[in-house]
PDB file of all heavy atoms in Angstrom:
ATOM      1  N   LYS A  96      22.378   5.797 -34.247  1.00  0.00           N
ATOM      2  CA  LYS A  96      22.353   7.057 -33.506  1.00  0.00           C
ATOM      3  C   LYS A  96      23.087   6.981 -32.168  1.00  0.00           C
ATOM      4  O   LYS A  96      23.259   7.993 -31.492  1.00  0.00           O
ATOM      5  CB  LYS A  96      20.906   7.500 -33.273  1.00  0.00           C
ATOM      6  CG  LYS A  96      20.200   7.972 -34.534  1.00  0.00           C
ATOM      7  CD  LYS A  96      18.953   8.784 -34.217  1.00  0.00           C
ATOM      8  CE  LYS A  96      19.284  10.116 -33.588  1.00  0.00           C
ATOM      9  NZ  LYS A  96      18.090  10.957 -33.365  1.00  0.00           N
ATOM     10  N   ASN A  97      23.503   5.772 -31.781  1.00  0.00           N
ATOM     11  CA  ASN A  97      24.324   5.608 -30.580  1.00  0.00           C
ATOM     12  C   ASN A  97      23.603   6.073 -29.311  1.00  0.00           C
ATOM     13  O   ASN A  97      24.118   6.858 -28.529  1.00  0.00           O
ATOM     14  CB  ASN A  97      25.644   6.366 -30.725  1.00  0.00           C
ATOM     15  CG  ASN A  97      26.784   5.688 -29.965  1.00  0.00           C
ATOM     16  OD1 ASN A  97      27.130   4.556 -30.287  1.00  0.00           O
ATOM     17  ND2 ASN A  97      27.322   6.359 -28.968  1.00  0.00           N
ATOM     18  N   TYR A  98      22.375   5.562 -29.114  1.00  0.00           N
ATOM     19  CA  TYR A  98      21.655   5.855 -27.878  1.00  0.00           C
ATOM     20  C   TYR A  98      21.259   4.543 -27.199  1.00  0.00           C
ATOM     21  O   TYR A  98      21.444   3.457 -27.759  1.00  0.00           O
ATOM     22  CB  TYR A  98      20.433   6.735 -28.132  1.00  0.00           C
ATOM     23  CG  TYR A  98      19.339   6.157 -28.998  1.00  0.00           C
ATOM     24  CD1 TYR A  98      18.275   5.446 -28.452  1.00  0.00           C
ATOM     25  CD2 TYR A  98      19.346   6.357 -30.386  1.00  0.00           C
ATOM     26  CE1 TYR A  98      17.260   4.940 -29.249  1.00  0.00           C
ATOM     27  CE2 TYR A  98      18.334   5.850 -31.186  1.00  0.00           C
ATOM     28  CZ  TYR A  98      17.298   5.135 -30.618  1.00  0.00           C
ATOM     29  OH  TYR A  98      16.289   4.636 -31.408  1.00  0.00           O
ATOM     30  N   THR A  99      20.736   4.648 -25.998  1.00  0.00           N
ATOM     31  CA  THR A  99      20.412   3.482 -25.193  1.00  0.00           C
ATOM     32  C   THR A  99      18.941   3.499 -24.816  1.00  0.00           C
ATOM     33  O   THR A  99      18.406   4.542 -24.429  1.00  0.00           O
ATOM     34  CB  THR A  99      21.262   3.460 -23.905  1.00  0.00           C
ATOM     35  OG1 THR A  99      22.648   3.482 -24.245  1.00  0.00           O
ATOM     36  CG2 THR A  99      20.959   2.227 -23.069  1.00  0.00           C
ATOM     37  N   VAL A 100      18.292   2.351 -24.927  1.00  0.00           N
ATOM     38  CA  VAL A 100      16.915   2.189 -24.460  1.00  0.00           C
ATOM     39  C   VAL A 100      16.969   1.362 -23.174  1.00  0.00           C
ATOM     40  O   VAL A 100      17.509   0.252 -23.153  1.00  0.00           O
ATOM     41  CB  VAL A 100      16.029   1.495 -25.509  1.00  0.00           C
ATOM     42  CG1 VAL A 100      14.616   1.299 -24.964  1.00  0.00           C
ATOM     43  CG2 VAL A 100      15.996   2.309 -26.797  1.00  0.00           C
ATOM     44  N   LEU A 101      16.406   1.924 -22.106  1.00  0.00           N
ATOM     45  CA  LEU A 101      16.456   1.298 -20.790  1.00  0.00           C
ATOM     46  C   LEU A 101      15.046   1.026 -20.283  1.00  0.00           C
ATOM     47  O   LEU A 101      14.147   1.862 -20.440  1.00  0.00           O
ATOM     48  CB  LEU A 101      17.164   2.222 -19.791  1.00  0.00           C
ATOM     49  CG  LEU A 101      18.602   2.602 -20.123  1.00  0.00           C
ATOM     50  CD1 LEU A 101      18.993   3.886 -19.405  1.00  0.00           C
ATOM     51  CD2 LEU A 101      19.540   1.474 -19.728  1.00  0.00           C
ATOM     52  N   GLY A 102      14.849  -0.103 -19.670  1.00  0.00           N
ATOM     53  CA  GLY A 102      13.559  -0.404 -19.055  1.00  0.00           C
ATOM     54  C   GLY A 102      13.597  -0.091 -17.571  1.00  0.00           C
ATOM     55  O   GLY A 102      14.646  -0.174 -16.928  1.00  0.00           O
ATOM     56  N   LEU A 103      12.447   0.270 -17.028  1.00  0.00           N
ATOM     57  CA  LEU A 103      12.342   0.493 -15.587  1.00  0.00           C
ATOM     58  C   LEU A 103      11.054  -0.125 -15.058  1.00  0.00           C
ATOM     59  O   LEU A 103       9.957   0.321 -15.386  1.00  0.00           O
ATOM     60  CB  LEU A 103      12.367   1.993 -15.242  1.00  0.00           C
ATOM     61  CG  LEU A 103      12.057   2.286 -13.765  1.00  0.00           C
ATOM     62  CD1 LEU A 103      13.127   1.680 -12.855  1.00  0.00           C
ATOM     63  CD2 LEU A 103      11.926   3.778 -13.509  1.00  0.00           C
ATOM     64  N   HIS A 104      11.195  -1.153 -14.235  1.00  0.00           N
ATOM     65  CA  HIS A 104      10.088  -1.700 -13.460  1.00  0.00           C
ATOM     66  C   HIS A 104      10.442  -1.451 -11.998  1.00  0.00           C
ATOM     67  O   HIS A 104      11.128  -2.255 -11.369  1.00  0.00           O
ATOM     68  CB  HIS A 104       9.932  -3.190 -13.749  1.00  0.00           C
ATOM     69  CG  HIS A 104       8.810  -3.833 -12.985  1.00  0.00           C
ATOM     70  ND1 HIS A 104       8.619  -5.191 -12.942  1.00  0.00           N
ATOM     71  CD2 HIS A 104       7.826  -3.292 -12.218  1.00  0.00           C
ATOM     72  CE1 HIS A 104       7.572  -5.466 -12.184  1.00  0.00           C
ATOM     73  NE2 HIS A 104       7.093  -4.331 -11.734  1.00  0.00           N
ATOM     74  N   TRP A 105       9.973  -0.309 -11.467  1.00  0.00           N
ATOM     75  CA  TRP A 105      10.354   0.095 -10.117  1.00  0.00           C
ATOM     76  C   TRP A 105       9.990  -0.963  -9.083  1.00  0.00           C
ATOM     77  O   TRP A 105      10.711  -1.172  -8.098  1.00  0.00           O
ATOM     78  CB  TRP A 105       9.681   1.418  -9.749  1.00  0.00           C
ATOM     79  CG  TRP A 105       9.793   1.731  -8.295  1.00  0.00           C
ATOM     80  CD1 TRP A 105      10.891   2.200  -7.636  1.00  0.00           C
ATOM     81  CD2 TRP A 105       8.779   1.549  -7.289  1.00  0.00           C
ATOM     82  NE1 TRP A 105      10.628   2.334  -6.298  1.00  0.00           N
ATOM     83  CE2 TRP A 105       9.342   1.934  -6.054  1.00  0.00           C
ATOM     84  CE3 TRP A 105       7.453   1.107  -7.328  1.00  0.00           C
ATOM     85  CZ2 TRP A 105       8.612   1.887  -4.864  1.00  0.00           C
ATOM     86  CZ3 TRP A 105       6.733   1.051  -6.146  1.00  0.00           C
ATOM     87  CH2 TRP A 105       7.318   1.443  -4.927  1.00  0.00           C
ATOM     88  N   GLY A 106       8.892  -1.673  -9.301  1.00  0.00           N
ATOM     89  CA  GLY A 106       8.424  -2.636  -8.325  1.00  0.00           C
ATOM     90  C   GLY A 106       9.388  -3.776  -8.051  1.00  0.00           C
ATOM     91  O   GLY A 106       9.235  -4.494  -7.056  1.00  0.00           O
ATOM     92  N   MET A 107      10.406  -3.968  -8.894  1.00  0.00           N
ATOM     93  CA  MET A 107      11.382  -5.028  -8.663  1.00  0.00           C
ATOM     94  C   MET A 107      12.427  -4.644  -7.617  1.00  0.00           C
ATOM     95  O   MET A 107      13.026  -5.516  -6.983  1.00  0.00           O
ATOM     96  CB  MET A 107      12.081  -5.391  -9.978  1.00  0.00           C
ATOM     97  CG  MET A 107      11.176  -5.976 -11.045  1.00  0.00           C
ATOM     98  SD  MET A 107      12.073  -6.412 -12.556  1.00  0.00           S
ATOM     99  CE  MET A 107      13.053  -7.799 -11.979  1.00  0.00           C
ATOM    100  N   TYR A 108      12.662  -3.354  -7.447  1.00  0.00           N
ATOM    101  CA  TYR A 108      13.767  -2.923  -6.593  1.00  0.00           C
ATOM    102  C   TYR A 108      13.596  -3.262  -5.111  1.00  0.00           C
ATOM    103  O   TYR A 108      14.570  -3.667  -4.457  1.00  0.00           O
ATOM    104  CB  TYR A 108      14.017  -1.423  -6.779  1.00  0.00           C
ATOM    105  CG  TYR A 108      14.781  -1.122  -8.040  1.00  0.00           C
ATOM    106  CD1 TYR A 108      14.106  -0.823  -9.220  1.00  0.00           C
ATOM    107  CD2 TYR A 108      16.167  -1.160  -8.074  1.00  0.00           C
ATOM    108  CE1 TYR A 108      14.791  -0.565 -10.395  1.00  0.00           C
ATOM    109  CE2 TYR A 108      16.866  -0.906  -9.240  1.00  0.00           C
ATOM    110  CZ  TYR A 108      16.173  -0.612 -10.403  1.00  0.00           C
ATOM    111  OH  TYR A 108      16.852  -0.365 -11.567  1.00  0.00           O
ATOM    112  N   PRO A 109      12.392  -3.116  -4.518  1.00  0.00           N
ATOM    113  CA  PRO A 109      12.291  -3.442  -3.090  1.00  0.00           C
ATOM    114  C   PRO A 109      12.719  -4.863  -2.769  1.00  0.00           C
ATOM    115  O   PRO A 109      13.293  -5.114  -1.700  1.00  0.00           O
ATOM    116  CB  PRO A 109      10.806  -3.210  -2.792  1.00  0.00           C
ATOM    117  CG  PRO A 109      10.387  -2.173  -3.775  1.00  0.00           C
ATOM    118  CD  PRO A 109      11.135  -2.520  -5.031  1.00  0.00           C
ATOM    119  N   GLY A 110      12.458  -5.811  -3.665  1.00  0.00           N
ATOM    120  CA  GLY A 110      12.827  -7.191  -3.397  1.00  0.00           C
ATOM    121  C   GLY A 110      14.256  -7.535  -3.764  1.00  0.00           C
ATOM    122  O   GLY A 110      14.840  -8.464  -3.194  1.00  0.00           O
ATOM    123  N   ILE A 111      14.839  -6.805  -4.719  1.00  0.00           N
ATOM    124  CA  ILE A 111      16.176  -7.146  -5.214  1.00  0.00           C
ATOM    125  C   ILE A 111      17.251  -6.196  -4.701  1.00  0.00           C
ATOM    126  O   ILE A 111      18.344  -6.628  -4.305  1.00  0.00           O
ATOM    127  CB  ILE A 111      16.175  -7.155  -6.760  1.00  0.00           C
ATOM    128  CG1 ILE A 111      15.194  -8.215  -7.279  1.00  0.00           C
ATOM    129  CG2 ILE A 111      17.570  -7.415  -7.310  1.00  0.00           C
ATOM    130  CD1 ILE A 111      15.021  -8.213  -8.779  1.00  0.00           C
ATOM    131  N   ARG A 112      16.973  -4.901  -4.682  1.00  0.00           N
ATOM    132  CA  ARG A 112      17.943  -3.907  -4.210  1.00  0.00           C
ATOM    133  C   ARG A 112      17.287  -2.948  -3.217  1.00  0.00           C
ATOM    134  O   ARG A 112      17.130  -1.755  -3.493  1.00  0.00           O
ATOM    135  CB  ARG A 112      18.533  -3.122  -5.394  1.00  0.00           C
ATOM    136  CG  ARG A 112      19.446  -3.925  -6.299  1.00  0.00           C
ATOM    137  CD  ARG A 112      20.724  -4.397  -5.577  1.00  0.00           C
ATOM    138  NE  ARG A 112      21.465  -3.311  -4.954  1.00  0.00           N
ATOM    139  CZ  ARG A 112      22.410  -2.588  -5.578  1.00  0.00           C
ATOM    140  NH1 ARG A 112      22.684  -2.848  -6.848  1.00  0.00           N
ATOM    141  NH2 ARG A 112      23.058  -1.636  -4.940  1.00  0.00           N
ATOM    142  N   PRO A 113      16.904  -3.452  -2.045  1.00  0.00           N
ATOM    143  CA  PRO A 113      16.270  -2.568  -1.058  1.00  0.00           C
ATOM    144  C   PRO A 113      17.174  -1.438  -0.596  1.00  0.00           C
ATOM    145  O   PRO A 113      16.686  -0.405  -0.141  1.00  0.00           O
ATOM    146  CB  PRO A 113      15.924  -3.518   0.091  1.00  0.00           C
ATOM    147  CG  PRO A 113      16.839  -4.686  -0.082  1.00  0.00           C
ATOM    148  CD  PRO A 113      17.021  -4.827  -1.560  1.00  0.00           C
ATOM    149  N   ASP A 114      18.481  -1.610  -0.729  1.00  0.00           N
ATOM    150  CA  ASP A 114      19.407  -0.537  -0.356  1.00  0.00           C
ATOM    151  C   ASP A 114      19.209   0.689  -1.237  1.00  0.00           C
ATOM    152  O   ASP A 114      19.282   1.830  -0.762  1.00  0.00           O
ATOM    153  CB  ASP A 114      20.858  -1.027  -0.450  1.00  0.00           C
ATOM    154  CG  ASP A 114      21.198  -1.547  -1.851  1.00  0.00           C
ATOM    155  OD1 ASP A 114      20.414  -2.340  -2.415  1.00  0.00           O
ATOM    156  OD2 ASP A 114      22.260  -1.166  -2.384  1.00  0.00           O
ATOM    157  N   LEU A 115      18.924   0.468  -2.518  1.00  0.00           N
ATOM    158  CA  LEU A 115      18.688   1.591  -3.424  1.00  0.00           C
ATOM    159  C   LEU A 115      17.360   2.268  -3.118  1.00  0.00           C
ATOM    160  O   LEU A 115      17.227   3.487  -3.251  1.00  0.00           O
ATOM    161  CB  LEU A 115      18.711   1.114  -4.879  1.00  0.00           C
ATOM    162  CG  LEU A 115      20.041   0.543  -5.373  1.00  0.00           C
ATOM    163  CD1 LEU A 115      19.897   0.044  -6.803  1.00  0.00           C
ATOM    164  CD2 LEU A 115      21.150   1.585  -5.281  1.00  0.00           C
ATOM    165  N   VAL A 116      16.370   1.475  -2.705  1.00  0.00           N
ATOM    166  CA  VAL A 116      15.081   2.043  -2.311  1.00  0.00           C
ATOM    167  C   VAL A 116      15.272   2.933  -1.086  1.00  0.00           C
ATOM    168  O   VAL A 116      14.712   4.037  -1.004  1.00  0.00           O
ATOM    169  CB  VAL A 116      14.062   0.925  -2.024  1.00  0.00           C
ATOM    170  CG1 VAL A 116      12.762   1.515  -1.497  1.00  0.00           C
ATOM    171  CG2 VAL A 116      13.801   0.115  -3.289  1.00  0.00           C
ATOM    172  N   ASP A 117      16.072   2.485  -0.137  1.00  0.00           N
ATOM    173  CA  ASP A 117      16.350   3.305   1.051  1.00  0.00           C
ATOM    174  C   ASP A 117      17.021   4.617   0.661  1.00  0.00           C
ATOM    175  O   ASP A 117      16.713   5.676   1.215  1.00  0.00           O
ATOM    176  CB  ASP A 117      17.238   2.535   2.024  1.00  0.00           C
ATOM    177  CG  ASP A 117      16.508   1.392   2.720  1.00  0.00           C
ATOM    178  OD1 ASP A 117      15.270   1.421   2.744  1.00  0.00           O
ATOM    179  OD2 ASP A 117      17.188   0.474   3.228  1.00  0.00           O
ATOM    180  N   ASP A 118      17.955   4.546  -0.294  1.00  0.00           N
ATOM    181  CA  ASP A 118      18.613   5.770  -0.765  1.00  0.00           C
ATOM    182  C   ASP A 118      17.600   6.740  -1.355  1.00  0.00           C
ATOM    183  O   ASP A 118      17.636   7.953  -1.094  1.00  0.00           O
ATOM    184  CB  ASP A 118      19.665   5.431  -1.834  1.00  0.00           C
ATOM    185  CG  ASP A 118      20.879   4.707  -1.267  1.00  0.00           C
ATOM    186  OD1 ASP A 118      21.070   4.728  -0.029  1.00  0.00           O
ATOM    187  OD2 ASP A 118      21.621   4.111  -2.067  1.00  0.00           O
ATOM    188  N   ALA A 119      16.701   6.208  -2.180  1.00  0.00           N
ATOM    189  CA  ALA A 119      15.688   7.057  -2.813  1.00  0.00           C
ATOM    190  C   ALA A 119      14.768   7.681  -1.769  1.00  0.00           C
ATOM    191  O   ALA A 119      14.439   8.871  -1.848  1.00  0.00           O
ATOM    192  CB  ALA A 119      14.871   6.230  -3.819  1.00  0.00           C
ATOM    193  N   ARG A 120      14.352   6.904  -0.782  1.00  0.00           N
ATOM    194  CA  ARG A 120      13.470   7.429   0.253  1.00  0.00           C
ATOM    195  C   ARG A 120      14.137   8.562   1.031  1.00  0.00           C
ATOM    196  O   ARG A 120      13.504   9.582   1.323  1.00  0.00           O
ATOM    197  CB  ARG A 120      13.076   6.299   1.207  1.00  0.00           C
ATOM    198  CG  ARG A 120      12.143   5.270   0.593  1.00  0.00           C
ATOM    199  CD  ARG A 120      11.989   4.062   1.500  1.00  0.00           C
ATOM    200  NE  ARG A 120      11.015   3.101   0.994  1.00  0.00           N
ATOM    201  CZ  ARG A 120      10.806   1.906   1.527  1.00  0.00           C
ATOM    202  NH1 ARG A 120      11.506   1.522   2.585  1.00  0.00           N
ATOM    203  NH2 ARG A 120       9.893   1.092   1.006  1.00  0.00           N
ATOM    204  N   ARG A 121      15.403   8.369   1.379  1.00  0.00           N
ATOM    205  CA  ARG A 121      16.116   9.424   2.113  1.00  0.00           C
ATOM    206  C   ARG A 121      16.214  10.696   1.283  1.00  0.00           C
ATOM    207  O   ARG A 121      16.021  11.808   1.791  1.00  0.00           O
ATOM    208  CB  ARG A 121      17.516   8.940   2.502  1.00  0.00           C
ATOM    209  CG  ARG A 121      17.549   8.020   3.710  1.00  0.00           C
ATOM    210  CD  ARG A 121      18.959   7.806   4.199  1.00  0.00           C
ATOM    211  NE  ARG A 121      19.745   7.030   3.243  1.00  0.00           N
ATOM    212  CZ  ARG A 121      19.848   5.707   3.261  1.00  0.00           C
ATOM    213  NH1 ARG A 121      19.196   5.003   4.181  1.00  0.00           N
ATOM    214  NH2 ARG A 121      20.583   5.073   2.373  1.00  0.00           N
ATOM    215  N   GLU A 122      16.511  10.542  -0.002  1.00  0.00           N
ATOM    216  CA  GLU A 122      16.653  11.713  -0.853  1.00  0.00           C
ATOM    217  C   GLU A 122      15.307  12.410  -1.070  1.00  0.00           C
ATOM    218  O   GLU A 122      15.229  13.642  -1.060  1.00  0.00           O
ATOM    219  CB  GLU A 122      17.266  11.312  -2.193  1.00  0.00           C
ATOM    220  CG  GLU A 122      17.504  12.456  -3.160  1.00  0.00           C
ATOM    221  CD  GLU A 122      18.509  13.489  -2.661  1.00  0.00           C
ATOM    222  OE1 GLU A 122      19.142  13.289  -1.602  1.00  0.00           O
ATOM    223  OE2 GLU A 122      18.669  14.522  -3.351  1.00  0.00           O
ATOM    224  N   LEU A 123      14.253  11.648  -1.253  1.00  0.00           N
ATOM    225  CA  LEU A 123      12.934  12.244  -1.441  1.00  0.00           C
ATOM    226  C   LEU A 123      12.483  12.981  -0.183  1.00  0.00           C
ATOM    227  O   LEU A 123      11.895  14.064  -0.266  1.00  0.00           O
ATOM    228  CB  LEU A 123      11.915  11.170  -1.819  1.00  0.00           C
ATOM    229  CG  LEU A 123      12.098  10.535  -3.200  1.00  0.00           C
ATOM    230  CD1 LEU A 123      11.111   9.405  -3.407  1.00  0.00           C
ATOM    231  CD2 LEU A 123      11.963  11.577  -4.310  1.00  0.00           C
ATOM    232  N   THR A 124      12.763  12.411   0.973  1.00  0.00           N
ATOM    233  CA  THR A 124      12.425  13.084   2.228  1.00  0.00           C
ATOM    234  C   THR A 124      13.195  14.389   2.348  1.00  0.00           C
ATOM    235  O   THR A 124      12.636  15.434   2.736  1.00  0.00           O
ATOM    236  CB  THR A 124      12.724  12.170   3.422  1.00  0.00           C
ATOM    237  OG1 THR A 124      11.913  10.993   3.326  1.00  0.00           O
ATOM    238  CG2 THR A 124      12.432  12.875   4.743  1.00  0.00           C
ATOM    239  N   ARG A 125      14.485  14.347   2.013  1.00  0.00           N
ATOM    240  CA  ARG A 125      15.300  15.563   2.086  1.00  0.00           C
ATOM    241  C   ARG A 125      14.763  16.636   1.149  1.00  0.00           C
ATOM    242  O   ARG A 125      14.627  17.811   1.534  1.00  0.00           O
ATOM    243  CB  ARG A 125      16.750  15.238   1.727  1.00  0.00           C
ATOM    244  CG  ARG A 125      17.702  16.422   1.859  1.00  0.00           C
ATOM    245  CD  ARG A 125      19.074  16.097   1.310  1.00  0.00           C
ATOM    246  NE  ARG A 125      19.086  15.973  -0.135  1.00  0.00           N
ATOM    247  CZ  ARG A 125      19.135  17.006  -0.972  1.00  0.00           C
ATOM    248  NH1 ARG A 125      19.142  18.257  -0.501  1.00  0.00           N
ATOM    249  NH2 ARG A 125      19.154  16.804  -2.274  1.00  0.00           N
ATOM    250  N   LEU A 126      14.440  16.257  -0.075  1.00  0.00           N
ATOM    251  CA  LEU A 126      13.950  17.225  -1.053  1.00  0.00           C
ATOM    252  C   LEU A 126      12.581  17.771  -0.664  1.00  0.00           C
ATOM    253  O   LEU A 126      12.299  18.958  -0.841  1.00  0.00           O
ATOM    254  CB  LEU A 126      13.895  16.581  -2.437  1.00  0.00           C
ATOM    255  CG  LEU A 126      15.238  16.263  -3.094  1.00  0.00           C
ATOM    256  CD1 LEU A 126      15.036  15.407  -4.343  1.00  0.00           C
ATOM    257  CD2 LEU A 126      15.984  17.539  -3.443  1.00  0.00           C
TER     258      LEU A 126
END
């Protein structure tokens, strides 16, 4: 069927990609 299964463990991002967490926080505050 040509689709993708993706996992998400949000708790990993603060330690590995805190820059993306900052982006999300700014966007959530704006919204």
Side-chain angles (χ1 to χ4, degrees):
K96 289 197 69 176
N97 211 63
Y98 63 91
T99 303
V100 178
L101 300 158
L103 172 64
H104 180 190
W105 168 76
M107 296 181 69
Y108 282 93
I111 299 174
R112 291 295 306 272
D114 57 312
L115 297 177
V116 175
D117 288 340
D118 290 344
R120 290 170 175 173
R121 281 191 292 269
E122 182 63 6
L123 292 175
T124 298
R125 184 188 70 81
L126 291 170

